[in-house]
Coordinates of all heavy atoms in Angstrom, one line a residue:
M279 N -27.4 122.4 34.0 CA -28.8 122.8 33.7 C -29.1 122.7 32.2 O -28.3 123.3 31.4 CB -29.0 124.3 34.2 CG -28.9 124.4 35.7 SD -29.1 126.1 36.2 CE -30.8 126.3 36.1
P280 N -30.1 122.1 31.8 CA -30.4 121.9 30.4 C -30.9 123.3 29.8 O -31.5 124.1 30.5 CB -31.6 120.9 30.4 CG -32.1 120.9 31.7 CD -31.0 121.3 32.7
E281 N -30.6 123.4 28.5 CA -31.0 124.7 27.8 C -31.3 124.4 26.4 O -30.8 123.4 25.8 CB -30.0 125.8 28.0 CG -28.6 125.5 27.3 CD -27.7 126.7 27.5 OE1 -27.2 126.9 28.7 OE2 -27.3 127.3 26.5
Q282 N -32.0 125.3 25.8 CA -32.4 125.1 24.4 C -32.6 126.5 23.8 O -33.2 127.4 24.5 CB -33.6 124.3 24.2 CG -33.9 124.0 22.7 CD -35.1 123.0 22.5 OE1 -35.5 122.4 23.5 NE2 -35.6 123.0 21.3
E283 N -32.1 126.8 22.6 CA -32.3 128.1 21.9 C -33.3 127.9 20.8 O -33.2 127.0 20.0 CB -31.0 128.7 21.5 CG -31.2 130.1 21.0 CD -29.9 130.8 20.8 OE1 -29.0 130.7 21.7 OE2 -29.7 131.5 19.8
L284 N -34.3 128.8 20.7 CA -35.3 128.8 19.6 C -35.3 130.2 19.0 O -35.0 131.2 19.6 CB -36.7 128.4 20.2 CG -36.8 127.1 20.8 CD1 -38.2 126.9 21.4 CD2 -36.6 126.0 19.8
E285 N -35.8 130.2 17.7 CA -36.0 131.4 17.0 C -37.5 131.7 16.8 O -38.2 130.8 16.4 CB -35.3 131.3 15.6 CG -35.5 132.5 14.8 CD -34.8 132.3 13.4 OE1 -34.4 131.2 13.1 OE2 -34.9 133.3 12.6
F286 N -37.9 132.9 17.0 CA -39.3 133.3 16.8 C -39.3 134.4 15.8 O -38.5 135.4 15.9 CB -40.0 133.7 18.1 CG -40.1 132.6 19.1 CD1 -39.1 132.3 19.9 CD2 -41.3 131.8 19.1 CE1 -39.3 131.2 20.8 CE2 -41.4 130.8 20.0 CZ -40.4 130.5 20.8
R287 N -40.1 134.3 14.8 CA -40.2 135.3 13.7 C -41.5 136.0 13.7 O -42.6 135.4 13.9 CB -39.9 134.7 12.3 CG -38.6 134.2 12.2 CD -38.3 133.6 10.8 NE -37.0 133.1 10.7 CZ -36.5 132.5 9.6 NH1 -37.3 132.3 8.6 NH2 -35.3 132.1 9.6
G288 N -41.5 137.3 13.5 CA -42.7 138.1 13.3 C -43.4 138.5 14.6 O -44.6 138.9 14.5
I289 N -42.8 138.3 15.7 CA -43.4 138.6 17.0 C -42.6 139.7 17.7 O -41.4 139.6 17.8 CB -43.6 137.4 17.9 CG1 -44.3 136.3 17.2 CG2 -44.2 137.8 19.2 CD1 -44.4 135.0 18.0
N290 N -43.2 140.7 18.1 CA -42.6 141.9 18.7 C -41.7 141.4 19.9 O -42.2 140.6 20.7 CB -43.6 142.9 19.2 CG -43.1 144.1 19.7 OD1 -42.5 144.1 20.8 ND2 -43.2 145.2 19.0
R291 N -40.5 141.9 20.0 CA -39.6 141.5 21.1 C -40.2 141.8 22.5 O -40.1 141.0 23.4 CB -38.3 142.2 21.0 CG -37.3 141.8 22.1 CD -36.2 142.7 22.3 NE -36.5 144.1 22.3 CZ -37.0 144.8 23.4 NH1 -37.2 144.1 24.5 NH2 -37.2 146.1 23.4
K292 N -40.9 142.9 22.6 CA -41.5 143.3 23.9 C -42.6 142.3 24.3 O -42.8 142.0 25.5 CB -42.1 144.7 23.9 CG -41.0 145.7 23.8 CD -41.5 147.1 23.8 CE -40.4 148.1 23.7 NZ -40.9 149.5 23.6
H293 N -43.4 141.8 23.3 CA -44.4 140.8 23.6 C -43.7 139.5 24.0 O -44.2 138.8 25.0 CB -45.2 140.5 22.3 CG -46.1 141.7 22.0 ND1 -46.8 141.7 20.8 CD2 -46.5 142.8 22.7 CE1 -47.5 142.8 20.8 NE2 -47.4 143.5 21.9
L294 N -42.6 139.1 23.4 CA -41.9 137.9 23.8 C -41.5 138.0 25.3 O -41.5 137.0 26.0 CB -40.7 137.6 22.9 CG -41.1 137.3 21.5 CD1 -39.9 137.3 20.5 CD2 -41.9 135.9 21.4
G295 N -41.0 139.2 25.7 CA -40.7 139.4 27.1 C -41.9 139.3 28.0 O -41.8 138.7 29.1
M296 N -43.0 139.9 27.6 CA -44.2 139.9 28.4 C -44.7 138.5 28.6 O -45.2 138.1 29.7 CB -45.3 140.7 27.6 CG -46.6 140.8 28.4 SD -47.7 141.9 27.4 CE -48.0 140.9 26.0
Y297 N -44.5 137.6 27.6 CA -44.9 136.2 27.8 C -44.1 135.5 28.9 O -44.7 134.7 29.7 CB -44.7 135.4 26.5 CG -45.5 136.0 25.3 CD1 -45.1 135.8 24.0 CD2 -46.7 136.7 25.5 CE1 -45.8 136.3 23.0 CE2 -47.4 137.2 24.5 CZ -47.0 137.0 23.2 OH -47.7 137.5 22.1
F298 N -42.8 135.8 29.1 CA -42.1 135.3 30.2 C -42.7 135.8 31.5 O -42.8 135.0 32.5 CB -40.6 135.7 30.1 CG -39.7 134.8 29.2 CD1 -39.0 135.4 28.2 CD2 -39.6 133.5 29.4 CE1 -38.2 134.6 27.3 CE2 -38.9 132.7 28.6 CZ -38.2 133.3 27.5
E299 N -43.0 137.0 31.5 CA -43.6 137.6 32.8 C -44.9 136.9 33.1 O -45.2 136.6 34.2 CB -43.8 139.1 32.6 CG -42.4 139.8 32.6 CD -42.6 141.3 32.4 OE1 -43.7 141.8 32.0 OE2 -41.6 142.0 32.6
E300 N -45.7 136.6 32.0 CA -47.0 136.0 32.2 C -46.8 134.5 32.8 O -47.7 134.0 33.4 CB -47.8 135.9 30.9 CG -48.3 137.3 30.6 CD -49.0 137.3 29.2 OE1 -49.1 136.3 28.5 OE2 -49.5 138.4 28.8
L301 N -45.7 133.9 32.5 CA -45.4 132.6 33.0 C -44.7 132.6 34.3 O -44.3 131.6 34.9 CB -44.5 131.8 32.0 CG -45.2 131.5 30.6 CD1 -44.1 131.0 29.6 CD2 -46.3 130.6 30.8
G302 N -44.6 133.8 34.9 CA -44.0 133.9 36.3 C -42.6 134.4 36.4 O -42.0 134.4 37.5
G303 N -42.0 134.8 35.3 CA -40.6 135.3 35.3 C -40.6 136.8 35.7 O -41.5 137.5 35.4
K304 N -39.5 137.2 36.2 CA -39.3 138.6 36.6 C -38.1 139.1 35.7 O -37.1 138.5 35.6 CB -38.9 138.7 38.0 CG -38.6 140.2 38.4 CD -38.3 140.3 39.9 CE -38.0 141.7 40.2 NZ -37.4 142.0 41.5
Q305 N -38.3 140.3 35.1 CA -37.3 140.9 34.2 C -36.1 141.3 35.0 O -36.3 142.1 36.0 CB -37.9 142.0 33.4 CG -36.9 142.6 32.4 CD -37.5 143.6 31.4 OE1 -38.7 143.8 31.4 NE2 -36.7 144.3 30.7
M306 N -34.9 140.9 34.7 CA -33.7 141.2 35.4 C -32.8 142.2 34.8 O -32.0 142.8 35.4 CB -32.9 139.9 35.7 CG -33.7 138.7 36.3 SD -34.5 139.2 37.9 CE -33.1 139.1 38.9
T307 N -32.9 142.4 33.4 CA -32.1 143.3 32.7 C -33.0 144.2 31.8 O -34.1 143.8 31.4 CB -31.0 142.6 31.9 OG1 -31.7 141.7 30.9 CG2 -30.1 141.7 32.7
D308 N -32.4 145.3 31.4 CA -33.1 146.2 30.5 C -32.5 146.4 29.1 O -32.7 147.3 28.4 CB -33.2 147.6 31.2 CG -34.1 147.6 32.4 OD1 -35.1 146.9 32.4 OD2 -33.8 148.3 33.4
D309 N -31.6 145.4 28.8 CA -30.9 145.5 27.5 C -30.5 144.1 27.1 O -30.6 143.1 27.9 CB -29.6 146.4 27.6 CG -29.2 146.9 26.3 OD1 -29.8 146.6 25.3 OD2 -28.2 147.7 26.3
F310 N -30.1 143.9 25.9 CA -29.7 142.5 25.4 C -28.5 142.0 26.3 O -27.6 142.8 26.5 CB -29.3 142.5 24.0 CG -30.5 142.6 23.0 CD1 -30.8 143.8 22.4 CD2 -31.3 141.5 22.8 CE1 -31.9 143.9 21.5 CE2 -32.4 141.6 22.0 CZ -32.7 142.8 21.4
P311 N -28.5 140.8 26.7 CA -29.6 139.9 26.6 C -30.6 140.2 27.7 O -30.3 140.4 28.9 CB -29.0 138.5 26.9 CG -27.8 138.8 27.7 CD -27.3 140.2 27.3
Y312 N -31.9 140.3 27.3 CA -33.0 140.5 28.2 C -33.1 139.2 29.0 O -33.4 138.2 28.4 CB -34.3 140.9 27.5 CG -34.2 142.2 26.9 CD1 -33.8 142.4 25.5 CD2 -34.6 143.4 27.6 CE1 -33.8 143.6 24.9 CE2 -34.5 144.6 27.0 CZ -34.1 144.7 25.6 OH -34.1 146.0 25.0
I313 N -33.1 139.3 30.3 CA -33.1 138.1 31.1 C -34.4 138.1 32.0 O -34.7 139.1 32.7 CB -31.9 137.9 32.0 CG1 -30.6 137.8 31.1 CG2 -32.0 136.7 33.0 CD1 -29.3 137.9 31.9
Y314 N -35.1 137.0 32.0 CA -36.3 136.8 32.8 C -36.1 135.6 33.7 O -35.7 134.5 33.2 CB -37.5 136.6 31.9 CG -37.8 137.8 31.1 CD1 -37.2 138.0 29.9 CD2 -38.7 138.8 31.5 CE1 -37.4 139.2 29.1 CE2 -39.0 139.9 30.8 CZ -38.3 140.1 29.6 OH -38.5 141.2 28.8
Q315 N -36.3 135.7 35.0 CA -35.9 134.7 35.9 C -37.1 134.3 36.8 O -37.9 135.1 37.2 CB -34.8 135.2 36.8 CG -34.2 134.2 37.8 CD -33.2 133.3 37.1 OE1 -32.4 133.8 36.3 NE2 -33.3 132.1 37.4
S316 N -37.2 133.0 37.0 CA -38.2 132.4 38.0 C -37.4 131.5 38.9 O -36.2 131.4 38.7 CB -39.3 131.7 37.3 OG -39.0 130.4 37.0
N317 N -38.1 130.8 39.8 CA -37.4 129.9 40.7 C -36.9 128.7 40.0 O -35.8 128.1 40.4 CB -38.3 129.4 41.8 CG -38.6 130.5 42.8 OD1 -37.9 131.5 42.9 ND2 -39.8 130.4 43.4
E318 N -37.5 128.2 38.9 CA -37.2 127.0 38.2 C -36.5 127.2 36.8 O -36.0 126.3 36.2 CB -38.4 126.1 38.1 CG -38.9 125.6 39.4 CD -39.8 124.4 39.2 OE1 -39.9 123.8 38.1 OE2 -40.4 124.0 40.2
W319 N -36.6 128.4 36.3 CA -36.1 128.6 34.9 C -35.6 130.0 34.7 O -35.9 130.9 35.5 CB -37.2 128.2 33.9 CG -38.5 129.0 34.0 CD1 -39.6 128.5 34.6 CD2 -38.8 130.3 33.6 NE1 -40.6 129.4 34.6 CE2 -40.1 130.6 34.0 CE3 -38.1 131.3 32.9 CZ2 -40.8 131.8 33.7 CZ3 -38.7 132.5 32.7 CH2 -40.0 132.7 33.0
C320 N -34.9 130.2 33.6 CA -34.4 131.5 33.1 C -34.7 131.5 31.6 O -34.4 130.6 30.9 CB -32.9 131.6 33.4 SG -32.2 133.1 32.8
G321 N -35.2 132.7 31.2 CA -35.3 132.9 29.7 C -34.5 134.1 29.3 O -34.5 135.1 30.0
K322 N -33.8 134.0 28.2 CA -32.9 135.1 27.7 C -33.3 135.4 26.3 O -33.2 134.5 25.4 CB -31.5 134.7 27.8 CG -31.0 134.4 29.2 CD -29.5 134.0 29.2 CE -29.0 133.7 30.6 NZ -27.6 133.4 30.6
I323 N -33.7 136.6 26.1 CA -33.8 137.1 24.7 C -32.5 137.6 24.3 O -32.0 138.6 24.7 CB -34.9 138.2 24.6 CG1 -36.2 137.7 25.1 CG2 -35.0 138.8 23.2 CD1 -37.3 138.8 25.2
V324 N -31.8 136.8 23.5 CA -30.4 136.9 23.2 C -30.1 138.0 22.1 O -29.3 138.8 22.3 CB -29.8 135.6 22.7 CG1 -28.4 135.7 22.4 CG2 -30.1 134.5 23.8
R325 N -30.9 138.0 21.1 CA -30.7 139.0 20.0 C -31.9 139.1 19.1 O -32.8 138.2 19.1 CB -29.4 138.6 19.2 CG -29.6 137.4 18.3 CD -28.2 137.2 17.6 NE -28.3 136.1 16.6 CZ -28.2 134.8 16.9 NH1 -28.0 134.4 18.2 NH2 -28.3 133.9 16.0
E326 N -32.0 140.2 18.4 CA -33.0 140.4 17.4 C -32.4 140.9 16.1 O -31.5 141.8 16.2 CB -34.0 141.4 18.0 CG -35.2 141.7 17.0 CD -36.2 142.7 17.6 OE1 -35.8 143.5 18.4 OE2 -37.3 142.6 17.1
E327 N -32.9 140.4 15.0 CA -32.4 140.9 13.7 C -33.5 140.9 12.7 O -34.6 140.3 12.9 CB -31.3 140.0 13.2 CG -31.6 138.5 13.2 CD -30.4 137.6 13.1 OE1 -29.4 138.0 13.6 OE2 -30.6 136.5 12.6
D328 N -33.3 141.7 11.7 CA -34.3 141.7 10.6 C -34.0 140.8 9.5 O -32.8 140.7 9.1 CB -34.5 143.1 10.0 CG -35.1 144.1 10.9 OD1 -36.0 143.7 11.7 OD2 -34.8 145.3 10.9
L329 N -35.0 140.0 9.0 CA -34.8 139.1 7.9 C -35.5 139.6 6.7 O -36.7 140.0 6.8 CB -35.3 137.7 8.2 CG -34.6 137.0 9.3 CD1 -35.3 135.6 9.6 CD2 -33.1 136.7 9.0
S330 N -34.9 139.6 5.5 CA -35.5 140.0 4.3 C -36.1 138.7 3.6 O -35.4 137.8 3.2 CB -34.5 140.7 3.3 OG -34.1 141.9 3.9
I331 N -37.4 138.7 3.5 CA -38.1 137.6 2.8 C -38.1 137.9 1.3 O -37.8 137.0 0.5 CB -39.5 137.4 3.3 CG1 -39.6 137.2 4.9 CG2 -40.2 136.3 2.6 CD1 -38.8 136.1 5.4
T332 N -38.4 139.1 1.0 CA -38.2 139.6 -0.4 C -37.6 141.0 -0.3 O -37.3 141.4 0.8 CB -39.6 139.7 -1.1 OG1 -40.4 140.8 -0.5 CG2 -40.4 138.5 -1.1
S333 N -37.4 141.7 -1.4 CA -36.8 143.0 -1.3 C -37.6 144.0 -0.6 O -37.1 145.0 -0.1 CB -36.5 143.5 -2.7 OG -37.7 143.6 -3.5
T334 N -38.9 143.8 -0.5 CA -39.8 144.7 0.3 C -40.4 144.1 1.5 O -40.9 144.9 2.3 CB -40.9 145.2 -0.7 OG1 -41.7 144.1 -1.1 CG2 -40.4 146.0 -1.8
F335 N -40.3 142.8 1.7 CA -41.0 142.2 2.9 C -39.9 141.8 3.9 O -39.1 140.9 3.6 CB -41.9 141.0 2.4 CG -42.6 140.4 3.6 CD1 -43.6 141.1 4.3 CD2 -42.4 139.1 3.9 CE1 -44.3 140.5 5.3 CE2 -43.0 138.5 4.9 CZ -44.0 139.2 5.6
K336 N -40.0 142.4 5.1 CA -39.0 142.0 6.1 C -39.7 141.6 7.4 O -40.8 142.2 7.7 CB -38.1 143.2 6.4 CG -37.2 143.6 5.2 CD -36.3 144.7 5.5 CE -35.6 145.1 4.3 NZ -34.6 146.1 4.4
V337 N -39.2 140.7 8.1 CA -39.7 140.3 9.4 C -38.6 140.3 10.5 O -37.4 140.2 10.1 CB -40.4 138.9 9.4 CG1 -41.6 138.9 8.5 CG2 -39.5 137.8 9.1
N338 N -39.0 140.4 11.7 CA -37.9 140.3 12.7 C -37.7 138.8 13.1 O -38.6 138.0 13.0 CB -38.3 141.1 14.0 CG -39.4 140.5 14.8 OD1 -40.4 140.0 14.2 ND2 -39.4 140.6 16.1
S339 N -36.5 138.6 13.6 CA -36.2 137.2 14.1 C -35.5 137.4 15.5 O -34.6 138.2 15.6 CB -35.1 136.6 13.1 OG -34.6 135.5 13.7
V340 N -36.2 136.8 16.5 CA -35.7 136.9 17.8 C -35.2 135.6 18.3 O -36.0 134.6 18.2 CB -36.8 137.5 18.7 CG1 -36.3 137.6 20.2 CG2 -37.4 138.8 18.2
H341 N -34.0 135.5 18.8 CA -33.4 134.3 19.4 C -33.6 134.3 20.9 O -33.2 135.2 21.5 CB -32.0 134.2 19.0 CG -31.8 134.0 17.5 ND1 -31.6 132.8 16.9 CD2 -31.9 134.9 16.5 CE1 -31.5 133.0 15.6 NE2 -31.7 134.3 15.3
I342 N -34.2 133.2 21.4 CA -34.4 133.1 22.8 C -33.8 131.8 23.4 O -33.9 130.7 22.8 CB -35.9 133.1 23.1 CG1 -36.5 134.4 22.6 CG2 -36.2 132.8 24.6 CD1 -38.0 134.5 22.8
R343 N -33.1 131.9 24.5 CA -32.5 130.8 25.1 C -33.3 130.4 26.4 O -33.5 131.3 27.2 CB -31.0 131.0 25.5 CG -30.3 129.8 26.1 CD -28.9 130.1 26.2 NE -28.3 130.3 24.9 CZ -27.5 131.4 24.7 NH1 -27.2 132.3 25.6 NH2 -27.0 131.6 23.5
F344 N -33.7 129.2 26.5 CA -34.5 128.7 27.6 C -33.6 127.8 28.5 O -32.9 126.9 27.9 CB -35.7 127.8 27.1 CG -36.7 128.6 26.3 CD1 -36.5 128.6 24.9 CD2 -37.8 129.2 26.8 CE1 -37.4 129.3 24.1 CE2 -38.7 129.9 26.1 CZ -38.5 129.9 24.7
I345 N -33.5 128.1 29.8 CA -32.7 127.3 30.7 C -33.6 127.0 31.9 O -34.3 127.8 32.4 CB -31.5 128.2 31.2 CG1 -30.7 128.7 30.0 CG2 -30.6 127.4 32.1 CD1 -29.8 129.9 30.3
A346 N -33.5 125.7 32.3 CA -34.3 125.2 33.4 C -33.5 124.3 34.3 O -32.4 123.9 34.0 CB -35.5 124.5 32.9
S347 N -34.1 124.1 35.5 CA -33.4 123.3 36.5 C -33.3 121.8 36.1 O -32.3 121.1 36.5 CB -34.2 123.4 37.8 OG -35.5 123.0 37.6
D348 N -34.2 121.3 35.3 CA -34.1 119.9 34.8 C -34.8 119.8 33.4 O -35.5 120.7 33.0 CB -34.6 118.9 35.8 CG -36.1 119.2 36.2 OD1 -36.9 119.4 35.3 OD2 -36.4 119.2 37.4
D349 N -34.7 118.6 32.8 CA -35.3 118.4 31.5 C -36.8 118.6 31.5 O -37.4 119.2 30.6 CB -34.9 117.1 30.9 CG -33.5 117.0 30.5 OD1 -33.0 118.0 30.0 OD2 -32.9 115.9 30.5
K350 N -37.4 118.1 32.6 CA -38.9 118.2 32.6 C -39.4 119.6 32.7 O -40.3 120.1 32.0 CB -39.4 117.4 33.9 CG -40.9 117.4 34.0 CD -41.3 116.6 35.2 CE -42.8 116.7 35.4 NZ -43.3 116.0 36.6
A351 N -38.7 120.4 33.5 CA -39.0 121.9 33.7 C -38.8 122.6 32.3 O -39.5 123.5 32.0 CB -38.2 122.5 34.8
L352 N -37.7 122.2 31.6 CA -37.4 122.9 30.3 C -38.5 122.6 29.3 O -39.0 123.5 28.6 CB -36.0 122.4 29.8 CG -35.6 123.0 28.5 CD1 -35.4 124.5 28.6 CD2 -34.3 122.3 28.0
K353 N -38.9 121.3 29.2 CA -39.9 121.0 28.3 C -41.3 121.7 28.6 O -42.0 122.1 27.7 CB -40.2 119.4 28.3 CG -39.0 118.7 27.6 CD -39.3 117.2 27.6 CE -38.1 116.5 27.1 NZ -38.2 115.0 27.1
E354 N -41.6 121.8 29.9 CA -42.8 122.4 30.3 C -42.7 123.9 30.0 O -43.7 124.5 29.5 CB -43.0 122.2 31.8 CG -44.3 122.7 32.3 CD -45.5 121.9 31.9 OE1 -45.4 120.8 31.4 OE2 -46.6 122.5 32.0
L355 N -41.6 124.6 30.3 CA -41.4 126.0 29.9 C -41.6 126.2 28.5 O -42.4 127.1 28.1 CB -40.0 126.5 30.4 CG -39.6 127.9 30.0 CD1 -40.6 128.9 30.5 CD2 -38.2 128.1 30.4
I356 N -40.9 125.5 27.6 CA -41.0 125.7 26.2 C -42.5 125.4 25.7 O -43.0 126.2 24.9 CB -40.0 124.8 25.4 CG1 -38.6 125.3 25.8 CG2 -40.3 124.8 23.9 CD1 -37.5 124.4 25.2
K357 N -43.1 124.4 26.2 CA -44.5 124.1 25.8 C -45.4 125.3 26.2 O -46.2 125.7 25.3 CB -45.0 122.8 26.5 CG -46.4 122.5 26.1 CD -46.9 121.3 27.0 CE -47.5 121.9 28.2 NZ -48.3 121.1 29.0
N358 N -45.3 125.8 27.4 CA -46.1 126.9 27.8 C -45.8 128.2 27.0 O -46.7 129.0 26.7 CB -46.0 127.1 29.3 CG -46.6 126.0 30.1 OD1 -47.5 125.3 29.6 ND2 -46.1 125.8 31.3
Y359 N -44.5 128.4 26.7 CA -44.1 129.6 26.0 C -44.7 129.5 24.5 O -45.1 130.5 24.0 CB -42.6 129.7 26.0 CG -42.1 131.1 25.6 CD1 -42.1 132.1 26.5 CD2 -41.8 131.4 24.3 CE1 -41.7 133.4 26.2 CE2 -41.3 132.6 23.9 CZ -41.3 133.6 24.9 OH -40.9 134.9 24.5
R360 N -44.6 128.3 23.9 CA -45.1 128.2 22.6 C -46.6 128.4 22.5 O -47.1 128.9 21.5 CB -44.8 126.8 22.0 CG -43.4 126.6 21.6 CD -43.2 125.2 21.0 NE -41.8 124.9 20.7 CZ -41.3 125.2 19.5 NH1 -42.0 125.7 18.5 NH2 -40.0 124.9 19.2
V361 N -47.4 128.1 23.6 CA -48.8 128.4 23.6 C -49.0 129.9 23.5 O -49.8 130.4 22.8 CB -49.5 127.8 24.8 CG1 -50.9 128.4 25.0 CG2 -49.5 126.3 24.8
K362 N -48.1 130.7 24.2 CA -48.2 132.1 24.2 C -47.9 132.7 22.9 O -48.5 133.7 22.5 CB -47.3 132.7 25.2 CG -47.5 132.4 26.7 CD -48.7 133.2 27.2 CE -48.8 132.9 28.7 NZ -50.0 133.5 29.2
T363 N -47.0 132.1 22.1 CA -46.6 132.6 20.8 C -47.4 132.1 19.6 O -47.2 132.5 18.5 CB -45.1 132.3 20.5 OG1 -44.9 130.9 20.5 CG2 -44.2 132.9 21.6
R364 N -48.3 131.2 19.9 CA -49.1 130.6 18.8 C -50.0 131.7 18.2 O -50.7 132.5 18.8 CB -50.0 129.5 19.4 CG -50.7 128.7 18.3 CD -51.4 127.5 18.9 NE -50.4 126.6 19.5 CZ -50.6 125.9 20.6 NH1 -51.7 125.9 21.2 NH2 -49.7 125.1 21.0
R365 N -50.0 131.7 16.9 CA -50.8 132.7 16.1 C -51.7 131.9 15.2 O -51.3 131.0 14.5 CB -49.9 133.6 15.2 CG -48.9 134.4 16.0 CD -49.6 135.4 16.8 NE -48.6 136.4 17.4 CZ -48.4 136.4 18.7 NH1 -48.9 135.5 19.5 NH2 -47.5 137.3 19.2
I366 N -53.0 132.2 15.3 CA -54.0 131.5 14.5 C -54.7 132.5 13.6 O -55.2 133.5 14.1 CB -55.0 130.8 15.4 CG1 -54.3 129.8 16.3 CG2 -56.1 130.1 14.6 CD1 -55.1 129.1 17.3
G367 N -54.6 132.3 12.3 CA -55.2 133.2 11.4 C -56.8 133.0 11.3 O -57.3 132.0 11.8
G368 N -57.4 134.0 10.8 CA -58.9 133.8 10.7 C -59.5 134.8 9.9 O -59.0 135.7 9.3

């Protein structure tokens, strides 16, 4: 099964889990790694850490592993997930 790990910064971990649910996944665990499962894919929120940009500015960094039944499903999952995480300033 193909998989890929990505890092997301500055987005609340709970929101990242909610995005998996909005894409059709069901939450399977209540602690790290948070696992979200559907018929064709699995998403795992592997870990979260704080990054210091400056001495006073910190953001969170969340590592997510995407696993799918095939390459096409993996690409589609990541594409749809990135739409959920897109932030547009204004």
Side-chain angles (χ1 to χ4, degrees):
M279 294 179 78
E281 64 180 68
Q282 184 173 349
E283 188 166 316
L284 298 175
E285 175 186 6
F286 293 86
R287 294 182 179 179
I289 303 174
N290 184 290
R291 181 198 48 79
K292 290 181 181 179
H293 289 166
L294 292 169
M296 184 176 64
Y297 300 152
F298 278 123
E299 292 175 349
E300 290 174 0
L301 293 173
K304 180 179 178 191
Q305 185 172 350
M306 307 303 284
T307 61
D308 293 323
D309 204 355
F310 285 105
Y312 292 92
I313 299 173
Y314 296 84
Q315 186 78 43
S316 85
N317 290 336
E318 292 197 11
W319 55 262
C320 176
K322 296 181 181 182
I323 300 177
V324 180
R325 70 181 185 277
E326 179 178 28
E327 55 198 27
D328 288 328
L329 294 176
S330 295
I331 305 301
T332 67
S333 60
T334 57
F335 183 63
K336 297 179 183 186
V337 297
N338 71 323
S339 168
V340 181
H341 294 260
I342 299 179
R343 185 171 299 128
F344 299 89
I345 305 165
S347 56
D348 57 47
D349 286 330
K350 182 179 177 184
L352 180 63
K353 288 179 184 178
E354 186 71 16
L355 171 61
I356 292 173
K357 181 186 87 168
N358 292 337
Y359 197 84
R360 284 184 182 268
V361 169
K362 298 281 186 188
T363 61
R364 190 172 296 144
R365 301 291 188 252
I366 300 172

